[in-house]
Amino acid sequence: MIKTIVVKQNILSHNDELANQIRQQLDAHSILALNFMASPGGGKTSVINTLIHLLKRKKRIAVIEGDVVTIDVNILKKHKIPVILANTHGACHLDSLMVLKALNKLTLSDLDVLFIENVGNLVCPANFPLGNHSNIVIASVPEGDDKPKKYPNMFRHADIVLLNKIDVLPSETFSMHRFQSALLKINPRATLIPISCKTREGFDSVVQLLFK
Amino acid sequence: MIKTIVVKQNILSHNDELANQIRQQLDAHSILALNFMASPGGGKTSVINTLIHLLKRKKRIAVIEGDVVTIDVNILKKHKIPVILANTHGACHLDSLMVLKALNKLTLSDLDVLFIENVGNLVCPANFPLGNHSNIVIASVPEGDDKPKKYPNMFRHADIVLLNKIDVLPSETFSMHRFQSALLKINPRATLIPISCKTREGFDSVVQLLFK
């Protein structure tokens, strides 16, 4: 048991060292980096896709796409911006080494914003800082209002929580009050913004908060 | 790198040995054990809850509830059946040792059916067999029709795929044909049953397939 813990601590502290290196590189080039985390199907690619639509005339954007397979890369490449695949080869989260390798494929002096799409998973990605400036956790209405309660570690690490798919509200099984209360208990400093990628509701606030 | 792989193989082969022990115990008592896996919010607890409703007069049921926190235990305990929490303490999947420990808290001679609710995650749980007889992967309509494509390892391990929340169909973003084709490519031997916990549509077929 003690050996396991030591190994785990070493892996995590090595990850944190690399995360610091990433942050230094990003800051040297004044790049804002955002780490998007969510359940599978929560809407990471759709949110990033919508933000690129809204921002691409004003900001030079790149995406690091962490995935066990390569589908979302093709969706995002349509914007003709750099999209680097960080294929985790089955691993359930990105780590700093994967991000560092992906960064080496980008020309940092040509960028203002870096979106990092993590693997769809509400458990593991929270434990691996990637040198990014903000953690954006996306929850979605059909997943239910208990997600902050059930995955406290993920929501504790969030700077911003985007509640996606609000176009399906009202819903018999989702109470905005319960969701907000659960989040407030776990992480009172997180900013909650309800959004819909379908109607684009809420995206003005997201852009305002992150890029103004 | 080689060291990492050896460690991983050892962990997995140790897990498989324990899984065999579990299977022997289950078979010695003629207990059918089902491992439910899904994304967070995909509907694992709701499906198990519905199945208990439908079966509890005919079958003696227990649940092992794998979770990073303890909320769902309370929902299921209302049935007055044994519900054992296998708290993974932050780990992203159940393993055989956790299940074996939970089994020791049950009187196996009093059981016909064991439901194992895995941690909400479409990546890690697939790699850890638990000695169960069938893997039941739950996908849900709001997650999108690309899930088998995006999480091939999970869907490859499925014996039965339950497509949940079909009460929200038709949906602009979900094509049953695309979902079926994607699943067929990854795993042609899996049985697909569309269901709704809300309307109970499809549950006759589930009960028929598993318990008749």
Side-chain angles (χ1 to χ4, degrees):
Chain A
M1 189 50 137
I2 290 166
K3 266 193 192 167
T4 316
I5 292 167
V6 172
V7 170
K8 204 172 164 188
Q9 278 177 343
N10 284 347
I11 291 171
L12 290 176
S13 74
H14 182 60
N15 181 78
D16 290 359
E17 275 168 34
L18 294 182
N20 287 338
Q21 285 182 32
I22 292 170
R23 177 65 78 94
Q24 283 167 18
Q25 285 193 39
L26 294 168
D27 288 347
H29 293 89
S30 304
I31 299 169
L32 174 71
L34 307 172
N35 179 13
F36 290 82
M37 296 178 280
S39 299
K44 294 178 300 303
T45 311
S46 299
V47 167
I48 290 173
N49 201 26
T50 307
L51 285 173
I52 296 171
H53 264 297
L54 296 171
L55 291 165
K56 67 182 174 185
R57 286 188 196 158
K58 293 179 185 168
K59 305 280 183 189
R60 297 167 302 169
I61 305 168
V63 182
I64 293 175
E65 183 61 41
D67 225 329
V68 287
V69 289
T70 64
I71 302 163
D72 293 334
V73 171
N74 300 326
I75 298 170
L76 298 174
K77 274 197 169 165
K78 289 176 191 156
H79 293 288
K80 296 182 179 163
I81 61 168
V83 180
I84 309 295
L85 177 71
N87 189 330
T88 67
H89 298 288
C92 55
H93 61 86
L94 282 175
D95 62 33
S96 291
L97 184 60
M98 295 171 194
V99 172
L100 208 50
K101 283 181 182 170
L103 270 192
N104 288 337
K105 296 179 186 165
L106 291 166
T107 310
L108 299 188
S109 52
D110 286 351
L111 290 181
D112 302 311
V113 178
L114 176 67
F115 293 141
I116 301 169
E117 181 171 347
N118 219 310
V119 177
N121 184 336
L122 285 187
V123 185
C124 321
N127 297 323
F128 290 81
L130 302 176
N132 54 286
H133 299 89
S134 290
N135 284 334
I136 306 195
V137 175
I138 306 170
S140 70
V141 171
E143 293 171 57
D145 52 37
D146 60 352
K147 288 299 143 306
K149 248 193 208 171
K150 291 199 60 179
Y151 299 88
N153 192 41
M154 176 56 78
F155 284 87
R156 203 172 286 129
H157 282 82
D159 299 298
I160 298 171
V161 174
L162 302 181
L163 176 65
N164 193 17
K165 307 189 191 179
I166 56 165
D167 50 279
V168 303
L169 288 171
S171 148
E172 281 168 33
T173 51
F174 188 95
S175 146
M176 187 66 87
H177 175 71
R178 277 199 300 266
F179 185 86
Q180 282 176 315
S181 309
L183 178 60
L184 200 66
K185 257 190 205 163
I186 300 290
N187 181 354
R189 68 171 184 83
T191 305
L192 171 64
I193 307 180
I195 59 164
S196 162
C197 294
K198 203 169 158 187
T199 65
R200 294 205 181 166
E201 198 179 334
F203 274 88
D204 281 356
S205 308
V206 179
V207 170
Q208 186 73 29
L209 182 67
L210 287 168
F211 302 100
K212 293 282 157 70
Chain B
M1 189 49 136
I2 291 165
K3 266 192 191 167
T4 316
I5 292 167
V6 172
V7 170
K8 205 171 163 187
Q9 279 178 342
N10 284 347
I11 291 170
L12 291 176
S13 74
H14 182 59
N15 181 78
D16 291 359
E17 274 168 35
L18 294 181
N20 287 337
Q21 286 182 33
I22 292 170
R23 176 66 77 96
Q24 283 168 17
Q25 285 193 38
L26 294 168
D27 288 347
H29 293 88
S30 304
I31 299 169
L32 175 71
L34 307 172
N35 178 15
F36 290 81
M37 297 178 278
S39 299
K44 293 176 301 303
T45 311
S46 300
V47 168
I48 289 173
N49 200 27
T50 307
L51 285 174
I52 296 171
H53 264 296
L54 297 172
L55 291 165
K56 67 183 175 185
R57 286 189 196 157
K58 294 179 186 169
K59 304 281 183 189
R60 298 166 301 168
I61 304 168
V63 182
I64 294 176
E65 182 61 41
D67 225 329
V68 288
V69 291
T70 64
I71 301 162
D72 293 333
V73 171
N74 301 326
I75 297 171
L76 298 174
K77 274 197 169 164
K78 287 174 191 157
H79 294 287
K80 297 183 179 165
I81 60 169
V83 180
I84 309 295
L85 178 70
N87 190 331
T88 68
H89 298 289
C92 54
H93 60 87
L94 283 175
D95 62 33
S96 290
L97 184 60
M98 296 172 194
V99 173
L100 207 52
K101 283 181 183 170
L103 271 191
N104 288 338
K105 296 179 187 166
L106 291 166
T107 309
L108 299 188
S109 54
D110 286 351
L111 290 182
D112 302 311
V113 178
L114 177 67
F115 293 140
I116 302 170
E117 181 172 347
N118 220 308
V119 177
N121 184 337
L122 285 188
V123 185
C124 320
N127 297 324
F128 290 81
L130 303 175
N132 53 286
H133 298 88
S134 291
N135 284 334
I136 306 194
V137 174
I138 306 170
S140 69
V141 172
E143 293 172 57
D145 52 37
D146 59 354
K147 290 297 141 306
K149 248 192 208 172
K150 292 200 60 180
Y151 299 89
N153 192 40
M154 175 57 78
F155 284 87
R156 203 172 286 130
H157 283 82
D159 299 298
I160 297 170
V161 173
L162 302 180
L163 176 65
N164 194 17
K165 307 189 190 179
I166 55 165
D167 50 278
V168 303
L169 288 173
S171 148
E172 282 168 33
T173 52
F174 188 95
S175 145
M176 187 66 88
H177 175 71
R178 276 199 300 266
F179 186 86
Q180 281 176 315
S181 309
L183 179 60
L184 200 65
K185 256 190 207 163
I186 300 291
N187 181 354
R189 66 170 186 82
T191 306
L192 171 63
I193 306 179
I195 58 164
S196 162
C197 293
K198 203 169 159 186
T199 65
R200 293 203 181 168
E201 198 179 335
F203 274 89
D204 281 354
S205 307
V206 180
V207 170
Q208 186 74 27
L209 182 67
L210 287 169
F211 303 102
K212 293 285 159 69

